[in-house]
Amino acid sequence: MQNSYSIIRTFTGRIKNMICQNDRNLLFRSLQKMDKIYTDGDTVLKNAIETTFIYSLDNCTAFCSQEYRKAIFSHISANLQKVYSRQIYSHGI
């Protein structure tokens, strides 16, 4: 179980670096890979992605231009975008 979280934490860190370095090709492929892991993963992997990757998205994209942020989010699957929206809007409740 802890292994799933550490893998996703490491992958999230790499994605954050790609965002900072504007490495779009690798970034967009990595976002697709994250979605595939989420889609095919078990409950533990899904939870790891929701609590680690999704939770860090705002932090990762805080200093991006609006255009770049939109490009990043356009490469995140509808499923993960729903999870993101649910997480963001549930904090205000």
Side-chain angles (χ1 to χ4, degrees):
M1 181 168 147
Q2 191 52 42
N3 197 23
S4 295
Y5 280 86
S6 76
I7 290 167
I8 298 303
R9 228 184 343 269
T10 301
F11 195 23
T12 298
R14 294 228 170 103
I15 287 173
K16 191 173 184 175
N17 286 338
M18 291 172 213
I19 290 171
C20 292
Q21 292 164 1
N22 201 10
D23 187 351
R24 293 182 187 220
N25 288 337
L26 192 54
L27 169 63
F28 297 156
R29 282 203 313 271
S30 297
L31 293 173
Q32 288 171 334
K33 177 66 90 183
M34 185 69 85
D35 179 56
K36 181 135 183 55
I37 295 168
Y38 185 77
T39 302
D40 298 345
D42 60 10
T43 307
V44 175
L45 257 177
K46 287 184 193 304
N47 286 337
I49 290 170
E50 289 177 14
T51 59
T52 306
F53 172 67
I54 298 295
Y55 193 75
S56 73
L57 271 175
D58 272 351
N59 203 2
C60 291
T61 59
F63 300 105
C64 296
S65 69
Q66 196 64 30
E67 174 269 328
Y68 188 28
R69 195 171 196 275
K70 277 184 187 157
I72 292 166
F73 276 85
S74 76
H75 285 81
I76 295 172
S77 70
N79 264 352
L80 286 179
Q81 286 192 30
K82 278 185 207 141
V83 173
Y84 171 80
S85 294
R86 204 170 50 235
Q87 203 175 74
I88 296 309
Y89 297 116
S90 69
H91 287 295
I93 295 172

